[in-house]
Amino acid sequence: MPELPEVEVVRAGLQAHVAGRTVSKVEVLHPRAIRRHVLGAEDFTGRLAGVRIDAARRRGKYLWLELSGGEAVLAHLGMSGQMLVQPEGAPDEKHLRVRVRFADDGPELRFVDQRTFGGLALDELVTSDGERLPGTIAHIARDPMDPRFDAEAAARALRSRRTEVKRALLDQTLVSGVGNIYADEALWRSKLHWARPAEKLTAAQGRTLVAAATEVMDSSLQAGGTSFDALYVNVNGQSGYFARSLDAYGQEGLPCSRCGTAIRREPFMNRSSYSCPRCQPRPRSSR
């Protein structure tokens, strides 16, 4: 699943290519692409026609296009969703799901989704903590890239949860934007095992973990995000390169770049968690 750096790369591209433009026509080519818009395709396309896109915005892993009428197009990228900017008349992608044309006859916006787990939906903008957000994500916490992000408060929130530290780090109501990849990388940098009880972290460990998550996502953002296959691309279809710099995630059996011990993979929430057995010893008891 795309995480904060990957979504931010897409957001920046959308801001550069579609912000300030007026929609002329929308085509829904697959009904699953707008299944979260319960009023259906006709309502979705009708309400977007003639509307200006004011900005492309993001909080954590959530992306939306802010519209001139006080609504937003909330985009769920899922496992394979792509927001691509293509010249009008360019061949359609095999898995093209939604096409957005603009009044200036310039490049069009395309939502492409091979696995159809993602989708688009119109949502009302509401005010939460001084920010305008789509109503369905108004409960999501600020992320480390947010200028108003409070690292101390985030560290305290993590330490307040009676659960494994990785589960707390993935809780988007505490700190948004962190997913499986960057959680493993932040825990590796902090020398913490994922099963360490969050409430047993010291204040210093909590601050270190939040700082590590911030640093690793910033580094990934500079590299264009983490791309493991052709599904993770920016609006121009280009892949990021941070996968080459990962220290823990996906490195099973490879030597830890800090101590040389082979990286271990363990099952975690129907997924996997990667850590160094020496640098990140598993706690003797979870509680």
Side-chain angles (χ1 to χ4, degrees), residues 62-280:
Y62 296 87
L63 172 72
W64 68 93
L65 299 175
E66 188 173 295
L67 306 177
S68 58
E71 291 184 304
V73 177
L74 184 60
H76 300 264
L77 298 181
M79 294 181 67
S80 60
Q82 301 172 348
M83 302 285 279
L84 302 178
V85 176
Q86 295 281 38
E88 189 174 14
D92 288 355
E93 294 77 8
K94 181 179 180 180
H95 303 290
L96 177 62
R97 308 306 186 193
V98 178
R99 185 200 320 273
V100 180
R101 300 183 189 273
F102 295 94
D104 58 16
D105 294 326
E108 57 191 38
L109 176 62
R110 300 179 180 182
F111 179 67
V112 177
D113 189 5
Q114 176 179 327
R115 298 170 184 164
T116 65
F117 291 153
L120 307 177
L122 279 168
D123 199 359
E124 294 290 335
L125 289 169
V126 300
T127 300
S128 176
D129 191 24
E131 302 282 352
R132 295 280 282 168
L133 303 169
T136 56
I137 64 164
H139 63 290
I140 298 300
R142 293 184 185 275
D143 63 68
M145 303 293 110
D146 190 315
R148 295 176 62 185
F149 178 70
D150 187 334
E152 284 287 340
R156 288 195 299 271
L158 289 174
R159 295 175 59 230
S160 72
R161 293 301 171 98
R162 293 185 58 82
T163 186
E164 295 100 338
V165 64
K166 184 173 178 179
R167 286 180 185 265
L169 196 56
L170 294 176
D171 186 338
Q172 303 299 294
T173 67
L174 303 181
V175 181
S176 68
V178 184
N180 206 36
I181 297 173
Y182 300 115
D184 280 357
E185 292 299 298
L187 289 165
W188 181 87
R189 293 188 180 202
S190 305
K191 298 184 178 180
L192 294 170
H193 189 274
W194 64 264
R196 179 75 175 268
E199 74 273 16
K200 292 186 179 180
L201 295 179
T202 65
Q205 287 173 326
R207 289 192 293 268
T208 296
L209 181 57
V210 171
T214 303
E215 290 165 3
V216 73
M217 289 194 292
D218 184 63
S219 296
S220 178
L221 181 57
Q222 302 310 312
T226 299
S227 296
F228 289 105
D229 57 38
L231 298 180
Y232 295 94
V233 296
N234 64 17
V235 297
N236 297 313
Q238 299 167 327
S239 298
Y241 297 98
F242 192 69
R244 301 174 184 177
S245 304
L246 294 172
D247 290 299
Y249 185 87
Q251 306 302 299
E252 181 184 13
L254 297 178
C256 170
S257 60
R258 188 164 46 211
C259 74
T261 304
I263 294 294
R264 169 182 55 194
R265 179 179 65 84
E266 298 175 283
F268 173 79
M269 293 175 62
N270 297 318
R271 290 177 284 181
S272 296
S273 197
Y274 299 86
S275 61
C276 172
R278 183 175 180 182
C279 296
Q280 303 165 264

